[in-house]
Amino acid sequence: MTVDASRGAPPGTLRNSSAELVQLLTPEGERVEHPDYPLELTADEIRDLYRDLVIVRRIDFEAVALTRQGELGIWASLLGQEAAQIGSGRALRDQDMVFPTYREHAVAWCCGVEPIKLLGLYRGVNHAGWDPKEHNFHLYTIVIGAQTLHAAGYAMGIQRDGAVGTESGAATIAYFGDGATSQGDVNESFVWASVFNAPVVFFCQNNQWAISEPLEKQSRIPLYRRAQGFGFPGIRVDGNDVFACLAVTRKALDSARDGQGPTLIEAFTYRMGAHTTTDDPTRYRLEAELEAWKLKDPIERVKAYLVKNEMADSAFFDDVDAEAKQVGMDVRKQCLELPDPGPMSIFDHVYAEPHALISEEQEQFAAYLAGFADAADGTDGAGRADEEGNAS
Amino acid sequence: MTTETLTLAKALGAGLRKAMEDDPKVLIMGEDVGKLGGVFRVTDGLQKDFGESRVIDTPLAESGIVGTAVGLALRGYRPVCEIQFDGFVFPAVDQIISQLAKMHMRSLGAIQLPVVVRIPCGGGIGAVEHHSESPEVHFAHAAGLRVVACSNPADAYTMIQQSIRSADPVIFFEPKRRYWDKAPVEMDLAAAPPLHQAVVARPGDDVTVLAYGPMVKTCLEAAAADDERSLEVIDLRSINPLDIETIMASVRKTGRCVVAHEAPVFGGFGAELAARITERCFYHLEAPVLRVGGFSTPYPPSRVEEQYLPNLDRILDAVDRTFGW
Ligand SMILES: Cc1ncc(C[n+]2csc(CCOP(=O)(O)OP(=O)(O)O)c2C)c(N)n1
Ligand SMILES: [Mg+2]
């Protein structure tokens, strides 16, 4: 039995097509123009983007440290993907709706979700600590790809509300990874969005890896080109260029809100950290690759641009660093203060309306726990729970 | 007879390796099973030794993994699919239940699908949601599938090989919080009990305790902790088909029975056990068969999982209650 392993994607097409990439800011911090993506930013706006990038990296850094110290069970780091997330996140309007994976901490930041709320899931005190309606930022979705269909359906709702093609038009944005593009759900969401011309932006962060599997295990063509087969435009953007991510996402969102249907954006970036804190990337990838991507750091290039254009002085950079440090310390403090859920919380919110079985189990468990309290009081603890765990 | 001391994960890996050596048609497929050796390292080293065409890092799509395994089996291969975590088997359920389970019958017996689907299951490792579930009953309820659950390294080694040899599809549950447990493993397959036979893991006289997978160890600990009564712990090992004979022999002797599993009690596998035992051992029973399990809620956040999971005390509490009837 033989399999021709050499029949992968032709070298270069998947990982190195810089010609196809929309870039507005080079890794060296040089501004470049692109005919389809004019972008006017004030010095203030650029400084704000820089501040965002630095702060979210710091939050992420703190969360990784908290995990190492056993305060979080696990963490999915966004290191290296800050520009993709801040650029796209800052392109959103209040009325737009975000459908994230588990790694969109910087998009959450753009939507005003307090950083501490992201930690609950990873600490194991809840499954999600925020109200999606409050921030138009949906729950983190761990099951790969599932949220892309939710984004398509939500967008169909926007259409039915008549909120497309108007001044206050709305859109959804679905985040997912390169690995996710193999899932049936993601491909189905492409079909749905396309057939219904739904206002969805599919924002794929191609960070080159799905845990240990390189992009070649998912695709033989650059991911953005998949869109063509589904009947909508696909664009590859330099995912480490916050300007380009902002401009490209803005245009795609405008087009969706305007009734022009979906766009697939492939943000070409790199997962600088491990998949999660439990992963060991030395088992499957080379240090040299990481070194090459370090030169394309999303933050350094904005800093270089600000310095070159005399838009910021060292006092500004010091202030941002100090602010980021403070945010990090606040997150740490709040994390340590997160209350553990009580045992009876297990029964909360399983159903929106009363449910006999839940009530019954809840009562049984309360009685069971009370048995221990009685025993500790020195009273009779022998008759623990009556029917605990017994559905009779 | 040779024995080696292995962790449960390593024993599974050794069993897979042996099966691949014995039969060139055996393939491994799944997410991250190759270079990484799986997130639990069960397939560690297999790709290096057997090559990329036999140990396949698949695209990230569970329906695809099982659906193509069906196709490979139609072509004469024996694929062993790894589902990364219990909660991620659901995208594959259509292929498993509508295709894999039924094709033998639909073909009037002309087609056999010797596919194994390995699923790490259960909680207790402090994981985020979808990583701690116990979905066995969905598969136990789907005719055409054989469903087994190992509980210790020795069984892991033999049961995975027996499952791969099975002419029918096998859903193979692995107790993920026991992956790191170590025990001596008998490397001679001939010495092993048949795949679908239950075993008495600890003999006793007063009450029968039935478990499979991760709960076997908990029940054994409960038995050791109870100095008043003598608990007979049975490791079912197979939940479909079920070795009812071993169970009946025990319950007829003890007259009492407690079933423990991590999955919710309501509609759980314990319901089937309780009904069957009641039908067959009615006049021997001193008390109803009692069930201990998870609550009828989604698996909770990990900081309360110890409250959700049946533990030694809840098992002994149920044992007590069978005596208070
Ligand atoms: C349906 C499903 N299968 C498997 C997993 C386990 N898993 C978690 S993340 C991941 C890789 C995802 O890769 P990608 O889509 O590229 O996103 P990234 O993690 O790189 O951001 C896998 C396989 C899962 N969460 N859901
Ligand atoms: Mg990825």
Side-chain angles (χ1 to χ4, degrees):
Chain A
M1 183 182 54
T2 55
V3 171
D4 184 357
S6 67
R7 286 199 56 209
T13 49
L14 282 178
R15 290 186 173 254
N16 229 340
S17 355
S18 50
E20 303 169 67
L21 194 86
V22 177
Q23 187 181 68
L24 301 182
L25 186 65
T26 68
E28 295 73 34
E30 299 294 343
R31 184 74 169 80
V32 281
E33 295 298 330
H34 190 291
D36 298 337
Y37 300 99
L39 182 71
E40 301 278 338
L41 291 173
T42 65
D44 268 344
E45 286 170 330
I46 298 171
R47 282 192 293 262
D48 283 350
L49 289 172
Y50 178 80
R51 174 180 166 269
D52 283 340
L53 292 167
V54 172
I55 291 177
V56 297
R57 181 170 287 185
R58 179 67 206 210
I59 294 167
D60 189 77
F61 176 86
E62 203 63 52
V64 171
L66 283 162
T67 312
R68 299 236 163 89
Q69 291 151 7
E71 297 296 341
L72 298 180
I74 190 170
W75 180 253
S77 167
L78 60 56
L79 190 66
Q81 300 177 219
E82 296 88 349
Q85 295 191 17
I86 293 293
S88 57
R90 287 300 177 204
L92 293 162
R93 292 205 196 133
D94 287 348
Q95 68 270 27
D96 298 331
M97 183 72 193
V98 178
F99 289 86
T101 71
Y102 39 81
R103 210 186 283 285
E104 269 67 71
H105 318 312
V107 185
W109 169 259
C110 295
C111 293
V113 179
E114 277 174 77
I116 183 60
K117 292 191 173 167
L118 305 172
L119 270 61
L121 159 75
Y122 291 102
R123 188 166 165 89
V125 302
N126 55 37
H127 289 318
W130 61 94
D131 175 359
K133 289 198 193 115
E134 205 178 301
H135 305 281
N136 273 13
F137 185 82
H138 189 65
L139 306 177
Y140 273 179
T141 299
I142 289 175
V143 179
I144 298 296
Q147 75 283 2
T148 58
L149 280 167
H150 309 156
Y154 194 98
M156 290 165 67
I158 292 175
Q159 288 177 304
R160 277 151 187 75
D161 290 343
V164 176
T166 65
E167 252 315 284
S168 57
T172 66
I173 185 165
Y175 287 88
F176 53 99
D178 43 291
T181 61
S182 295
Q183 278 288 13
D185 277 6
V186 174
N187 288 273
E188 289 171 28
S189 75
F190 288 177
V191 171
W192 250 254
S194 173
V195 164
F196 294 103
N197 205 39
V200 191
V201 173
F202 292 107
F203 195 92
C204 176
Q205 285 167 85
N206 173 4
N207 63 8
Q208 315 299 328
W209 293 92
I211 310 186
S212 73
E213 296 197 14
L215 184 60
E216 289 77 7
K217 300 286 177 193
Q218 318 289 344
S219 187
R220 291 195 62 193
I221 57 160
L223 294 172
Y224 75 96
R225 285 207 224 149
R226 293 243 180 114
Q228 195 190 357
F230 289 92
F232 53 88
I235 299 143
R236 179 183 274 181
V237 59
D238 180 347
N240 287 16
D241 172 356
V242 71
F243 293 175
C245 289
L246 176 65
V248 167
T249 312
R250 254 189 202 160
K251 188 167 175 186
L253 283 168
D254 281 345
S255 148
R257 293 190 203 102
D258 196 37
Q260 307 296 311
T263 302
L264 169 62
I265 299 172
E266 177 192 355
F268 201 76
T269 181
Y270 195 77
R271 196 194 78 207
M272 296 300 285
H275 169 67
T276 64
T277 41
T278 61
D279 177 38
D280 173 12
T282 62
R283 289 179 71 102
Y284 55 79
R285 71 181 189 187
L286 296 172
E287 190 64 23
E289 192 177 83
L290 199 68
E291 292 305 319
W293 277 93
K294 271 189 191 155
L295 302 174
K296 302 181 193 173
D297 185 74
I299 301 186
E300 284 309 314
R301 67 176 78 183
V302 182
K303 188 170 190 178
Y305 179 83
L306 285 169
V307 170
K308 243 180 262 187
N309 293 280
E310 296 179 3
M311 289 173 166
D313 53 15
S314 61
F316 167 78
F317 294 116
D318 290 347
D319 282 354
V320 171
D321 286 346
E323 186 187 356
K325 195 170 169 201
Q326 189 58 48
V327 173
M329 276 159 53
D330 291 348
V331 168
R332 162 170 294 270
K333 181 162 175 287
Q334 291 164 336
C335 174
L336 303 181
E337 287 166 356
L338 276 178
D340 274 345
M344 296 312 292
S345 70
I346 291 173
F347 302 97
D348 292 346
H349 310 303
V350 181
Y351 297 92
E353 293 183 7
H355 187 280
L357 177 61
I358 296 289
S359 310
E360 181 187 303
E361 291 187 0
Q362 201 168 8
E363 277 166 31
Q364 288 165 0
F365 193 48
Y368 172 77
L369 293 176
F372 289 100
D374 291 350
D377 287 351
T379 52
D380 176 25
R384 297 184 233 189
D386 205 10
E387 298 271 341
E388 183 275 320
N390 179 0
S392 63
Chain B
M1 302 261 283
T2 49
T3 64
E4 275 180 42
T5 298
L6 297 174
T7 64
L8 195 151
K10 286 253 183 292
L12 282 167
L16 288 167
R17 175 177 291 277
K18 185 75 177 33
M20 294 188 81
E21 285 164 358
D22 290 351
D23 182 351
K25 294 292 186 188
V26 174
L27 307 177
I28 308 271
M29 49 200 296
E31 295 155 10
D32 307 290
V33 297
K35 232 180 200 168
L36 186 64
V39 293
F40 292 108
R41 309 292 185 261
V42 168
T43 56
D44 193 19
L46 295 180
Q47 189 180 65
K48 194 168 122 284
D49 297 340
F50 294 96
E52 288 189 32
S53 59
R54 290 190 68 192
V55 181
I56 307 167
D57 270 329
T58 67
L60 204 178
E62 288 76 12
S63 181
I65 294 170
V66 177
T68 56
V70 169
L72 282 157
L74 290 171
R75 183 72 190 180
Y77 287 90
R78 300 182 98 84
V80 183
C81 303
E82 175 173 302
I83 300 294
Q84 203 160 76
F85 283 90
D86 34 66
F88 308 138
V89 70
F90 295 106
V93 164
D94 174 52
Q95 284 291 344
I96 295 174
I97 293 184
S98 300
Q99 303 300 329
L100 184 60
K102 300 187 171 88
M103 215 172 275
H104 182 66
M105 187 192 188
R106 275 161 60 211
S107 72
L108 302 177
I111 292 172
Q112 294 185 351
L113 292 179
V115 174
V116 176
V117 181
R118 295 178 36 235
I119 310 178
C121 70
I125 64 159
V128 293
E129 57 176 346
H130 315 296
H131 291 73
S132 302
E133 300 181 2
S134 300
E136 64 273 11
V137 79
H138 301 294
F139 303 102
H141 201 65
L145 302 174
R146 295 173 181 270
V147 183
V148 303
C150 60
S151 71
N152 60 64
D155 280 357
Y157 176 73
T158 54
M159 286 172 69
I160 190 65
Q161 294 181 69
Q162 292 167 322
S163 297
I164 292 168
R165 289 182 187 184
S166 169
D168 293 314
V170 177
I171 309 297
F172 191 93
F173 284 101
E174 302 172 1
K176 72 168 85 75
R177 65 170 142 147
R178 311 294 184 211
Y179 271 143
W180 302 274
D181 287 4
K182 265 190 184 172
V185 173
E186 167 54 56
M187 305 307 279
D188 179 7
L189 200 55
L195 179 61
H196 298 294
Q197 185 178 306
V199 300
V200 176
R202 177 187 167 113
D205 301 316
D206 299 336
V207 54
T208 301
V209 179
L210 303 179
Y212 51 89
M215 288 309 293
V216 173
K217 185 175 179 188
T218 314
C219 291
L220 287 171
E221 285 165 359
D226 193 329
D227 11 86
E228 282 168 45
R229 336 216 193 243
S230 147
L231 278 57
E232 175 147 297
V233 179
I234 295 184
D235 181 352
L236 297 184
R237 301 182 350 124
S238 173
I239 66 178
N240 187 4
L242 182 66
D243 174 9
I244 193 72
E245 299 300 325
T246 300
I247 297 169
M248 278 162 57
S250 175
V251 174
R252 287 186 172 162
K253 175 179 73 178
T254 62
R256 292 180 168 83
C257 183
V258 169
V259 183
H261 50 58
E262 289 188 20
V265 169
F266 186 82
F269 194 65
E272 180 62 35
L273 290 168
R276 258 167 212 272
I277 293 164
T278 309
E279 285 161 6
R280 287 160 201 241
C281 308
F282 191 65
Y283 291 108
H284 295 83
L285 284 173
E286 305 287 342
V289 178
L290 295 186
R291 292 170 287 160
V292 183
F295 301 112
S296 301
T297 68
Y299 197 86
S302 62
R303 291 240 168 185
V304 269
E305 71 179 333
E306 295 306 332
Q307 302 282 345
Y308 175 92
L309 291 169
N311 57 15
L312 190 149
D313 195 81
R314 273 161 67 186
I315 292 161
L316 291 181
D317 175 68
V319 166
D320 283 354
R321 282 184 286 123
T322 66
F323 286 90
W325 225 271

